Amino acid sequence: MNAPSAPLPGLLKLYHNDLMIRRGLSMLGFGIIVAAGMYWVSRPVPGPKPPIDNSFDVALAKVGSIGGIVLAGVGLLIFLGRFRRVRQILREGVPVKGMVDDIEVITTTTKDKDSAIGTRHTRRSYYVTLSYEAIGQQWTVRQKLPNSGFVFGLVKGQPTDLIVHEWMPEKPLIRSVYLGSF
């Protein structure tokens, strides 16, 4: 298959531009911190022994440490699976032209209840709807973007470059998001 001429993105760029890779690495890091923290908590304190043995707390800390290791393992699996899939699509995928049908911004505002002033926090989620033809079929997909479509050169009603792999044509990668050239 034809490979894109641009070099493959590094881990830092994929961390910032791929939400699944970011979540997998966050789970991995949080799991490691929980496991290490619970292991540290379960260690005996030097000095005189306390009059009451809190063996239940030690057992609970050990279970929490195992839970952290499991969480780190799941995060590692998510990260490695998505990282491998993205790199394979970028390496072996076929470039196709797609059309940006819609760009949607969902704004969520929450009020901080702990603050006396009532601070509001606004979160924006960006979605793009794409239509394209791959493997002799017409596809329409909706994808979440890591940032505004403007950052990646996506404009409603304008064409954009996609990269599609033959074994997963329903999951295209937007070339400007991963390779930065738009």
Side-chain angles (χ1 to χ4, degrees), residues 20 30 42 80 91 107 113 128 148:
M20 286 297 291
F30 183 72
S42 68
L80 289 176
R91 201 175 326 110
T107 305
K113 295 182 180 17
V128 63
S148 170

Side-chain angles (χ1 to χ4, degrees), residues 7 44-45 61 88 170 172:
V45 177
Q88 186 174 14
E170 70 277 2

Side-chain angles (χ1 to χ4, degrees), residues 4 7-12 14 18 21 80-93 163 165 167 173 178:
L8 294 177
L11 181 60
L12 188 61
L14 287 177
D18 193 289
I21 288 177
L80 289 176
R82 179 65 180 178
F83 183 76
R84 183 178 165 271
R85 179 180 297 154
V86 166
R87 299 279 292 210
Q88 186 174 14
I89 291 172
L90 291 174
R91 201 175 326 110
E92 301 171 2
I163 302 172
H165 199 282
W167 51 263
L173 297 181
Y178 290 91

Side-chain angles (χ1 to χ4, degrees), residues 10 13 23 33 47 80 88 97 120 129-130 141 145 182:
K13 185 168 185 171
R23 286 185 184 135
I33 289 172
L80 289 176
Q88 186 174 14
K97 282 289 188 185
R120 295 185 179 272
T129 304
L130 304 165
V141 295
L145 295 173
F182 56 89

Side-chain angles (χ1 to χ4, degrees), residues 5-73:
S5 61
L8 294 177
L11 181 60
L12 188 61
K13 185 168 185 171
L14 287 177
Y15 176 80
H16 287 294
N17 290 343
D18 193 289
L19 299 173
M20 286 297 291
I21 288 177
R22 186 182 310 169
R23 286 185 184 135
L25 285 175
S26 296
M27 282 177 63
L28 174 64
F30 183 72
I32 289 171
I33 289 172
V34 167
M38 290 296 180
Y39 176 77
W40 177 74
V41 166
S42 68
R43 305 301 340 142
V45 177
K49 295 277 184 194
I52 300 174
D53 183 27
N54 274 339
S55 61
F56 178 73
D57 293 340
V58 172
L60 188 61
K62 287 181 181 180
V63 169
S65 181
I66 292 170
I69 291 170
V70 169
L71 182 65

